[in-house]
Structures are given as structure tokens and as C-alpha cells.
Amino acid sequence: MGKSKHQGPISISKKPTPKHWVSPIPFGLGKVKPKHIRDTLKVVWENKDNLQYAKNILTKGVCDGCALGVSGLQDQTLKGAHMCTTRLNVLRLNTMPNIKEEIVHADIDELKKYSSAELRQLGRIPYPLIRKSGERKFSRISWEDAMNMIAKKIKTLDPKQYAFYLTSRGITNESYYVAGKVARFLGTNNIDNASRICHSPSKTGLYRSIGVGASTANYQDWIGTDVLLFWGSVASNSSPVSTKYMLAAKKKGTKIIVVNPYKEPAMEKYWVPSNLESALFGTRVADDFYQVNIGGDIAFMHGIMKHWFEMEEKVHGSAINHDFVQNHVKHYEELKAHVKAQSWDEIVKSSGISKNRIIELSELLANSKNAVFAWALGLTMHSFATDNISQVANLALLRGYIGRKYNGVMPFRGHSSVQGTSEMGCDPFVLPGGGWDAKNVKRIEALWKFNLPKWQGDILGVSLENALLPKDHARKLKLYYMSGGNFLETMPNPLFIEKALSQLDIRVHQDIIFNTSTLVDAKEAVIVLPAKTRYEQEGGGTSTSTERMIYFSPEIEGNKQVVKEARAEWKIYIDLAKRVKPHFASLIDFKDGHAIRDEIAKANPNYDGVQFLKKQGDVFQWGGAWLCEGGIFPTPDEKANLITIEIPKLQKSDGQFYVMTRRGKQFNSMVYNEIDPFNGTERYDVLMNEQDAKELNIIKGEPIVVYNEHGTFQGKAHFAHITRGNIGLHFPEGNFLIPKGIYDGPSGIPQFSVAVKVEKAERYHAKKDIDYLEKRIEDLETEVN
Ligand code: SF4
């Protein structure tokens, strides 16, 4: 897609730049900050029973933490060691021994006393397990019996009544590819993946705007661009080594701007452990913050564009890149008319940013030849998320910030292998190498040599809702086969999720550890299958990073805690397929990982080259250094689309707050510390603006209640630099307040923000007592579902 090749890692200046330091006092003494040395020593201690293997994973494997991407200790951006505490924290998942037998077979109520973090620490799932309806304990079952039972059930069901789901925890492209193929081989299109609940709108938004749903840029474009703008992303927390790239960018004069409701301390200042200067004196990361309202980004971007059009009225060419727009972009006049029709009052009200401040950023961009726009869940977890992304693309297209060095749009991904899931076809709307259009279906049918089911499969949220359909409904979900994932902690409305999970006839959890969802009942049985980690998978495996680098991770030798019964995930899928359709087994077989990669290269032309990845360090970038290079877009007429976007109307009345969920010391939903080292908050602290608190007579640290018609959250007030009228809760604790069943139309991501009321706990409880007394007897007797 792009002609230029990535140049590989570069060196950066080692000359100290005190102007970017947080403080001349070494190690941030006296500051609220992570203790990297202490955390590292803790990890060494945790892994002491398997230390050599841990070292082998770190020096030879591809990181199974975030999607920044690194093979061993070397990435493709900068020379020098690449390591962070997120990687060290997830390391134990690969080195730990089995769960002790007496715990595996303990009474289910005993197991339910463990939190997710405690379940994770119990160890690996040792062998296949089953817990039938009414049984109080998991029992051991042979692979043979477990797989036969699942296959037998699948044979009795209509393919619309079962579904597959794959998380992105370390799973390789090979496993995704085989899972996607097996699902269609069995006859179902109900297959979905973890990107549905994080970055699916990035794909749908970018696809409709520029014709491709991936980052057009690479991290080296940060280093030397004029402006690096993060929308709703705490890159320093989710991908700690990204701060090393940010530091390099700052040294080259790049301005870093952050747009987020909360002034995230980790984007303000950071101590990069693998950079001596930063480790000692810290780095001031963001040059400026724009604290928008939650859901105010579209209006904010309208404001930036509106001022550009005002500048254009005075001096043609002062803000818009007309050459780029004329030659490479469509619908300019429509967008211009739409943006000009927006009132400044509405823009300021919705965004929460003053006109002067919007103009400041608008002019900064108008005067910047190059910019990279990166974003994360702050833009994607909304019911208007695809619009958010297309609005970012609008900004980039008007300025021609796409398809060349130092420029691009970059969905900043979370998990290490999430980029590859949809690209491998684990998605109800996608097949490898394209969408669900007739041409691609025909192409894949020719390659796979069997017919694909032609009906539209469901996204995971709808699949879960389908579990509660009437018994004889054609689409009632009866079997859910999950590779990892914990919907209880990643989906809105956990009470509903628990009910849905418990109404399935059979639930299969293919995983390396227990989580809270593994313990929920099922109507017939819960079957647990022990999976190998990516480092144990025979023949190795590949994963794709945010910047489209496909890294090969070899099988790593030296594990002292081998889980003898664990199997490579792709092998389990093939085993299942063969049992369900034994007469067609030859159509679904793969000899080894190389055979899978050979086929991936044909199925997804962007991955042509993956077949040559064989040893540690092998890597290539699909699409070249820049997608849409030279303004040539992968659309039918090679032009990008400017899209007119409406300002969303948030359902928030006076006196209500809008709530966002944020991450603390955690990796996605895996919490590693009850206290966020960047701001000192505990998990049940509620981030709120001090002025808002004052108006409610709430004092710092006071118990408060956050509530709406969906749920109640009891926490403590923590005063923070957050835009007035907005509050922040930790994810997943805040999910009880989020309603089920509200999705962004094009992408299917659930909405993760909602209006709430906030009250002092004493007032809330006193009022509740009054409300209770005032209730009619009939209401009190009505059972609440
Ligand atoms: S920044 Fe991401 S890819 Fe790099 S070591 Fe940390 S978790 Fe792994």
C-alpha cells in the first residue's frame, strides 16, 4: 500500500536537555510517581522459581503486554533496550506453576471469594475441567471427553446458536486465523474479538474516511513532527515505553498536546526507566492540555475547523492544505458548510473549552506542516465513537497530515495482539484480507475450499443478549466458546452479564488462568480447557503491533513449570472442527505454524511476507512505512472522504455529571496495584473537580455515592484536575453504572460513559430511607430484576 520501507531503529541524541526535566532532584524524590526499581525487584522475586525461563522470554520473546511491540529487548523505533513494568507484571502468567489441586477442586463458593487478581495469582489451569449444573466443584475430565462433549453439543445446535470469542491476551495471529476459519467451517459467523470493546470504532471510522482501518504512521513519525496530539489516550500508562519515544520527540522539538477531560499525571510527567536522564530527572511530557468534556471532542474539533475556515476567509491557504484537498479528498464543500453552520456557543458548551483556547490550538495546527494524531479509548468508548474517529480524520485530511513522514493518524492499541484479530477474520463483519463483501467471500471460499455461511454474525454484546432469548428462539445462544476474556469485568452492566453467562447451556473457557467469569454457573456445564501461552506454542507465532509490525515470537525453551496438558490454541480449534465434521477434516488441517503462516499470506495479501518469519527478531511491517502514501487512498477512486459529523447530544440534565472510566495501575482489566502510583488514588476513589465538590458540600476524602437508574457506586471524593461536570471512576469498578445494549452503530462498541448523580453518602442514605418509607407496600413487595 505504501512504497517506502521503515528504516529500522535509529539512535537519538544522548545530550541532556534540562528544560524537559521534571526536577533537578534525582529519582523524583518527594513526588507521587511509580517506583520502577522496587517494582522490578518485586517481579524478580515473584519469578524466582523460574528465573531462567523468565529471562529467556524477556530476551527472546515478543512482548505479550501492550501493542507497542518489541522482540526481545529491541524494538523497531529506537536503538537501545526496551523494557517496562507492564511487561514484567504480565511475565508471571507465563512462568507460574499449576493451580494447587486442592484449590482447583475447592467448593465453588470458596473459589468465588477470590478477586480476579487473586485468581490470577493462583497459577495455571492444569488440565481440562468440567463443572456440570448443580455440581459444587470442578472435576477433572480428559481432553478426549471434553472435546467430544463440546462437539456433540455443537452438532445438535443451529450454527446461529453458538458463538466464539477471542481475547487479545498473548494470542497469536496463527490462533486467530485458525479460529476464524474453524468457526466458518463449522457454519457460524458468530465470532468476535476483544477489539470490539476497545478499538473497533478506529477501524470503522478510518475505513469509511480513508479506506483502511489501521495506523497510517509509525512511531518514528512522532520524533521530529511539529505536533504530536493525543486524544483520550494515556499512552504513558498503557504503553510505558512510548514515553521514551515522546522524550526523543521532544528533543527534536516536537510539541506534545493532550486532549482529555482529566489532566492525567502520567501524561504530565514521567520517569522513563530505560533512559538514564529521564530516570534521574523525569520528563515533562505534555506541552499543553486541553481538558474537554467527556463526549466533547467532536465539538472541539468542529471549533478547530471553524476557525480554519475563518482564517481562510481572510487569507486563502492560511489553514487548509488546498493542494492535498483538491487532489486527494472528496466532499470538502459539504464539510465546510456544515462546520461553518455550527455556532461557537454550541461548540464551547459541548466541548467545555473556551473559544480562545480552541483558536490557540487551531492556529498552532494551521502553522504546523506536520502532525501525528494518536488516540485511544477516550474517543472509542462512546455510542458516537466512529464519528469521533472520522472527525479526527477530517482534521488530518484538511491539513494533509497523512501519507508522508512525520504525519499520520494512529489508533493507539492496547493488547499486544489486538491489531491482528480482525485482520485474521475473527470478526462477524470481516474475513482475512477484506470485509464480508461478495468478492472477498468468493475469494476466501476458493482458498478454503468450502462454502462460508452467508448470514450476518453477531457482535459479542448481542451474542450475550441472545443468551437470554426464549428457549426455542432461532438465535438463542446456547454455547459460547471463549478463548480468554472476562466479560464480567470488561462489559457494561456486570449483573446482566452474569445472568447471560449463566443462561448458556455450555460455556467453554479456553484459557491459561481462572477468572471470575470461569466460576459462573451454566445450565448444562462449564468446560475449562488449558491453553498454552504464546511462548509455548509449537513452531512459535506472530503478533501485529499498533504500527503494523508483524513480529515473530519463537517457542521459548527452559520452562521449569510446564503445564503438561496445555495445548496450543490453534490445535484445539482444529481438534474441535475434526470432531464436529470428521468427513471434511482434511479441509481444516494444518501441519504446523509455518503451514498456517503460508496460508495467512494468501488469505490476507497485506500479510504476504509473514510466511518468511521463522526465527527470533524476524519482523516486517505490512503496508510499508506510511499507508496512503502520496495521498493515494485505498478507496475505489483513491480519494479520502471528508464526513460531516453532528455534535452528539449527551443525555445529561442540570446537576448531573458525566462519568468516564479510567485505568490506574493495571493492564486493561488486570489490576496490579490498588493504588495508582501517578495520583495516589485508590480503586474506589471518585475523581472530581474541587469546585463541583464544594457546591455539593463534599469535602476531600469524604464518602460519596455516584448513582443513576442502572446502578450505585459507593466511593470517596478525590479532588483532581478534571473538567467541571465530569467525574472519573476506575475501570472496571465503574461498569455497574453503565447500561447494557447501547452501541455505536457502525462498530458495535458498547457505550462506556453515562450521566450520573453525585451525593454525599450521608445525604444519599438519609434520603434513601425517606424514599423507602414513602414507598407503597406493593412496590416494596415487587421483586427487582
Ligand atoms: S511498552 Fe508495551 S510492548 Fe513495550 S515492554 Fe511495555 S508492555 Fe511490552
Side-chain angles (χ1 to χ4, degrees):
M1 221 178 289
K3 292 182 289 289
S4 305
K5 291 264 169 287
H6 191 279
Q7 62 181 331
I10 54 171
S11 304
I12 52 158
S13 158
K14 296 207 167 49
K15 204 170 139 209
T17 45
K19 68 176 177 180
H20 300 315
W21 292 358
V22 173
S23 154
I25 302 167
F27 299 113
L29 292 176
K31 307 249 178 233
V32 179
K33 67 177 275 292
K35 309 269 186 274
H36 289 125
I37 298 172
R38 189 196 61 190
D39 290 352
T40 306
L41 291 174
K42 198 172 136 228
V43 169
V44 173
W45 180 252
E46 257 176 21
N47 289 279
K48 63 183 184 306
D49 55 358
N50 212 351
L51 214 47
Q52 185 57 43
Y53 184 56
K55 187 173 156 226
N56 291 349
I57 288 173
L58 294 178
T59 53
K60 296 179 183 155
V62 171
C63 177
D64 57 349
C66 83
L68 206 66
V70 59
S71 168
L73 299 172
Q74 180 62 64
D75 62 41
Q76 293 301 302
T77 304
L78 294 177
K79 290 187 177 151
H82 174 137
M83 177 57 67
C84 81
T85 48
T86 298
R87 187 177 188 184
L88 295 175
N89 278 326
V90 293
L91 184 61
R92 188 61 180 153
L93 293 176
N94 302 293
T95 64
M96 62 190 179
N98 291 350
I99 309 175
K100 289 198 180 82
E101 211 174 318
E102 64 271 23
I103 297 180
V104 175
H105 303 290
D107 185 275
I108 197 70
D109 284 342
E110 288 303 310
L111 287 176
K112 282 182 181 172
K113 286 180 187 160
Y114 292 109
S115 66
S116 266
E118 289 163 339
L119 287 169
R120 198 168 64 229
Q121 285 157 6
L122 292 178
R124 298 270 301 268
I125 296 164
Y127 34 72
L129 297 163
I130 185 165
R131 189 166 75 86
K132 291 188 185 154
S133 169
E135 289 180 351
R136 310 257 344 134
K137 298 172 182 178
F138 280 110
S139 324
R140 188 169 185 164
I141 183 172
S142 67
W143 270 103
E144 188 67 12
D145 289 348
M147 298 310 289
N148 278 341
M149 193 170 166
I150 302 165
K152 190 173 161 204
K153 181 73 183 179
I154 284 181
K155 283 198 240 179
T156 67
L157 297 177
D158 183 293
K160 292 184 177 125
Q161 295 181 321
Y162 55 89
F164 291 86
Y165 171 82
L166 291 95
T167 188
S168 45
R169 166 267 303 143
I171 297 178
T172 57
N173 288 329
E174 289 75 358
S175 292
Y176 289 132
Y177 181 78
V178 172
K181 186 173 179 181
V182 163
R184 274 61 180 241
F185 174 79
L186 297 178
T188 189
N189 274 327
N190 289 333
I191 178 161
D192 210 356
N193 69 78
S195 75
R196 183 71 50 214
I197 40 183
C198 61
H199 265 291
S200 55
S202 300
K203 192 173 165 129
T204 47
L206 285 180
Y207 187 76
R208 75 178 183 182
S209 291
I210 63 169
V212 60
S215 171
T216 66
N218 54 74
Y219 309 128
Q220 280 182 354
D221 291 319
W222 296 9
I223 304 165
T225 186
D226 297 321
V227 178
L228 171 58
L229 212 164
F230 288 98
W231 305 90
S233 162
V234 194
S236 46
N237 195 25
S238 59
S239 300
V241 177
S242 67
T243 46
K244 201 168 135 187
Y245 308 160
M246 291 185 225
L247 172 60
K250 288 180 77 81
K251 286 192 174 207
K252 285 260 228 162
T254 298
K255 253 190 186 344
I256 299 182
I257 312 273
V258 180
V259 180
N260 201 49
Y262 174 44
K263 200 172 189 180
E264 284 283 354
M267 290 302 274
E268 235 183 327
K269 40 190 190 269
Y270 200 89
W271 286 257
V272 185
S274 52
N275 177 290
L276 185 64
E277 180 190 358
S278 178
L280 284 172
F281 304 112
T283 300
R284 291 194 180 280
V285 182
D287 293 280
D288 202 355
F289 274 91
Y290 283 85
Q291 293 185 249
V292 284
N293 277 324
I294 296 164
D297 304 274
I298 287 174
F300 183 49
M301 290 185 254
H302 271 324
I304 293 171
M305 290 189 277
K306 189 174 171 75
H307 186 62
W308 284 350
F309 293 125
E310 288 167 354
M311 289 170 74
E312 285 288 318
E313 277 167 17
K314 290 185 193 132
V315 183
H316 181 78
S318 56
I320 305 296
N321 182 339
H322 291 287
D323 187 39
F324 189 85
V325 168
Q326 266 169 22
N327 291 312
H328 305 295
V329 173
K330 291 188 300 188
H331 310 307
Y332 174 72
E333 291 302 332
E334 291 96 307
L335 179 71
K336 183 173 155 186
H338 179 73
V339 169
K340 286 175 81 173
Q342 310 297 316
S343 77
W344 274 112
D345 282 352
E346 179 64 13
I347 287 169
V348 169
K349 185 170 168 248
S350 175
S351 67
I353 309 281
S354 71
K355 184 177 170 185
N356 284 346
R357 285 281 286 150
I358 297 175
I359 288 175
E360 218 176 286
L361 180 57
S362 179
E363 294 191 350
L364 173 73
L365 291 171
N367 292 316
S368 299
K369 189 169 163 240
N370 304 308
V372 176
F373 296 156
W375 65 86
L377 308 187
L379 285 196
T380 62
M381 289 183 132
H382 296 280
S383 56
F384 41 86
T386 297
D387 282 352
N388 272 342
I389 309 311
S390 284
Q391 186 79 323
V392 175
N394 284 343
L395 284 188
L397 290 169
L398 288 175
R399 294 281 312 139
Y401 290 148
I402 288 190
R404 59 194 170 91
K405 192 172 179 181
Y406 298 139
N407 290 277
V409 287
M410 179 178 276
F412 204 71
R413 299 276 190 162
H415 261 303
S416 64
S417 56
V418 71
Q419 179 73 33
T421 45
S422 294
E423 289 168 355
M424 295 297 102
C426 289
D427 184 314
F429 306 104
V430 171
L431 286 169
W436 197 259
D437 53 285
K439 200 170 149 209
N440 204 34
V441 168
K442 209 166 150 211
R443 189 181 67 85
I444 290 294
E445 284 182 334
L447 178 71
W448 287 354
K449 299 189 174 57
F450 56 81
N451 290 334
L452 305 186
K454 300 294 185 308
W455 48 275
Q456 178 59 59
D458 288 321
I459 56 171
L460 84 94
V462 173
S463 285
L464 287 166
E465 288 172 32
N466 288 352
L468 295 173
L469 287 171
K471 192 162 87 218
D472 40 10
H473 194 287
R475 282 189 98 114
K476 180 178 170 72
L477 196 76
K478 297 187 175 171
L479 182 147
Y480 212 157
Y481 192 117
M482 290 168 271
S483 177
N486 182 358
F487 301 142
L488 287 177
E489 298 196 343
T490 51
M491 288 290 285
N493 198 335
L495 293 176
F496 166 79
I497 299 296
E498 182 164 7
K499 196 168 168 190
L501 291 176
S502 66
Q503 288 306 302
L504 292 154
D505 289 351
I506 291 189
R507 249 186 17 257
V508 182
H509 293 268
Q510 178 173 303
D511 213 328
I512 56 176
I513 49 170
F514 278 167
N515 66 48
T516 48
S517 71
T518 329
L519 309 178
V520 174
D521 295 345
K523 283 172 77 181
E524 290 175 16
V526 178
I527 298 174
V528 183
L529 304 174
K532 287 194 169 184
T533 69
R534 71 161 55 164
Y535 307 117
E536 296 166 335
Q537 186 173 288
E538 298 86 351
T542 58
S543 57
T544 311
S545 75
T546 283
E547 59 172 352
R548 298 172 277 105
M549 291 281 178
I550 306 170
Y551 285 95
F552 179 79
S553 192
E555 187 182 347
I556 309 276
E557 301 289 322
N559 188 1
K560 279 167 55 183
Q561 321 266 24
V562 176
V563 181
K564 293 199 185 76
E565 292 215 26
R567 292 186 179 177
E569 305 219 35
W570 62 264
K571 290 191 172 176
I572 309 175
Y573 287 115
I574 291 177
D575 183 349
L576 176 67
K578 287 180 175 177
R579 286 171 200 263
V580 178
K581 291 187 172 181
H583 304 306
F584 300 96
S586 64
L587 292 176
I588 198 76
D589 217 359
F590 285 104
K591 184 166 63 67
D592 54 24
H594 297 302
I596 304 173
R597 287 189 283 282
D598 279 345
E599 193 174 298
I600 291 174
K602 291 182 201 136
N604 186 338
N606 283 334
Y607 277 67
D608 191 4
V610 74
Q611 68 274 37
F612 306 121
L613 305 183
K614 292 189 165 75
K615 58 178 195 318
Q616 193 230 318
D618 283 356
V619 56
F620 87 102
Q621 186 182 36
W622 77 252
W626 302 287
L627 299 184
C628 319
E629 198 171 348
I632 309 299
F633 293 89
T635 52
D637 57 4
E638 299 191 335
K639 291 195 170 184
N641 295 303
L642 290 168
I643 294 174
T644 52
I645 307 282
E646 300 297 334
I647 295 177
K649 299 268 173 276
L650 302 185
Q651 305 297 320
K652 183 182 123 173
S653 52
D654 278 353
Q656 286 190 321
F657 290 79
Y658 224 62
V659 70
M660 64 163 193
T661 52
R662 71 178 288 276
R663 273 67 169 168
K665 179 75 178 170
Q666 66 193 91
F667 181 55
N668 295 301
S669 61
M670 292 184 197
V671 177
Y672 284 101
N673 200 327
E674 290 298 305
I675 296 177
D676 181 340
F678 285 104
N679 61 6
T681 50
E682 296 174 11
R683 302 295 302 180
Y684 285 86
D685 278 348
V686 179
L687 273 63
M688 69 185 302
N689 186 292
E690 191 169 352
Q691 289 306 316
D692 285 335
K694 258 192 190 148
E695 284 180 9
L696 294 168
N697 293 320
I698 290 169
I699 55 173
K700 195 173 157 189
E702 182 178 7
I704 56 174
V705 179
V706 180
Y707 66 99
N708 58 16
E709 62 272 41
H710 312 292
T712 306
F713 181 95
Q714 315 252 4
K716 274 191 300 162
H718 181 100
F719 296 165
H721 290 291
I722 188 166
T723 318
R724 291 201 64 180
N726 300 268
I727 59 167
L729 303 176
H730 283 109
F731 174 94
E733 288 85 345
N735 287 355
F736 281 94
L737 297 166
I738 316 283
K740 74 167 174 68
I742 302 177
Y743 306 102
D744 170 50
S747 70
I749 194 169
Q751 174 177 284
F752 281 89
S753 48
V754 70
V756 291
K757 284 189 176 169
V758 176
E759 281 184 18
K760 286 160 88 75
E762 60 183 38
R763 182 182 145 82
Y764 173 85
H765 290 298
K767 207 170 65 158
K768 200 172 162 204
D769 287 347
I770 295 164
D771 285 352
Y772 182 81
L773 288 172
E774 282 174 354
K775 277 186 178 168
R776 296 178 307 148
I777 298 295
E778 301 90 284
D779 289 346
L780 294 175
E781 285 173 352
T782 304
E783 195 184 325
V784 178
N785 287 315

